[in-house]
Amino acid sequence: MLLETQDLSKKFRRNGHEFFPVKDINLSVKEGQLVSISGSSGCGKSTLLNLITGMLTPDYGAVYFNKENVFEMTADRHAEYLNQNIAYIMQGDGLLHNLTLSENIALIHWLHNRENVSPEKIIKLAQSVGIEHVLDSYPAQLSGGEAKRGAIVRALVNHPQLVIADEPTSNLDTGNAEKIVKILKNLSRDGTAVIVSTHDQRFSEIVDAEYILGDC
């Protein structure tokens, strides 16, 4: 098993009252699986993703990646876990607007590996999602769909074992949303595990497993 959570729970306080947006979550993800997390807005989907990455610490429960407890990792090991094993695609594209799309992709590779990525590799990845023609464009010059596909290419440049995508089709028209769904499904078919947080019913038709968070 690539990733497992055991009774994962996180507590917050709002208006003087404690509540659990994530409570006793047990999920598992194998290599090559596409898994969705759904539920109403504000009910813990993004919190759960941040717990899986270790960017949030749970009140109780555990996350295991390749049988290693994420919350027992040293700081250096956790940085390696995030940098080399997981790619996190945020709700926005997260691209740096003073860099071209190609430079955005190259920067992530350099930050993780301290070496330059070959232009050929960037072009090949961009071709796989149909955006090789906009690599020299700045984010402000991209459509929403192009920017999202650019964020996916940037996520893939380090060959992660697990891709996490938070609402990857939000604010996209039908055509671009369908392209993103297809890209993520193909990614899982090629052996990369994918977790998506989504309201998009298109994912329900193709995922290997679906976790639905309860109402707030």
Side-chain angles (χ1 to χ4, degrees), residues 165-212:
D166 194 357
E167 299 286 359
T169 60
S170 63
N171 301 318
L172 296 181
D173 59 53
T174 299
N176 277 303
E178 289 176 349
K179 289 178 183 177
I180 298 302
V181 172
K182 183 177 180 179
I183 288 167
L184 293 176
K185 182 58 179 178
N186 288 341
L187 185 61
S188 70
R189 285 174 176 161
D190 289 340
T192 302
V194 180
I195 299 175
V196 295
S197 163
T198 185
H199 292 96
D200 194 330
Q201 291 302 309
R202 281 170 287 226
F203 281 106
S204 297
E205 301 171 2
I206 63 170
V207 294
D208 299 298
E210 182 176 18
Y211 293 88
I212 303 173

Side-chain angles (χ1 to χ4, degrees), residues 61-94:
V63 175
Y64 293 93
F65 188 83
N66 285 327
K67 299 183 179 180
E68 184 178 4
N69 190 330
V70 171
F71 300 105
E72 292 179 354
M73 293 176 176
T74 64
D76 287 345
R77 176 69 188 99
H78 185 256
E80 180 183 332
Y81 163 68
L82 288 178
N83 292 340
Q84 297 183 12
N85 300 120
I86 290 183
Y88 194 172
I89 303 169
M90 299 176 288
Q91 286 193 38
D93 56 67

Side-chain angles (χ1 to χ4, degrees), residues 5 13-14 22 26 38 43 45-46 52 65 68 87 95 109 122 126 148 151 161 182 185 187:
T5 72
R13 179 177 291 274
R14 180 190 294 160
V22 172
N26 296 282
S38 59
C43 289
K45 296 189 299 298
S46 294
I52 289 171
F65 188 83
E68 184 178 4
L95 298 173
H109 185 276
I122 293 177
K148 184 63 73 173
Q161 291 181 270
K182 183 177 180 179
K185 182 58 179 178
L187 185 61

Side-chain angles (χ1 to χ4, degrees), residues 96-153:
L96 297 176
H97 283 245
N98 61 326
L99 301 178
T100 66
L101 180 54
S102 181
E103 290 168 342
N104 267 277
I105 296 165
L107 176 63
I108 291 299
H109 185 276
W110 187 87
L111 288 173
H112 290 179
N113 300 285
R114 290 300 189 267
E115 64 180 21
N116 294 324
V117 62
S118 70
E120 292 78 16
K121 181 177 181 179
I122 293 177
I123 292 170
K124 184 176 180 180
L125 284 170
Q127 286 174 335
S128 72
V129 299
I131 57 167
E132 66 277 9
H133 60 292
V134 294
L135 283 172
D136 292 330
S137 299
Y138 288 88
Q141 299 170 317
L142 304 177
S143 69
E146 289 168 342
K148 184 63 73 173
R149 282 180 280 163
I152 291 173
V153 170

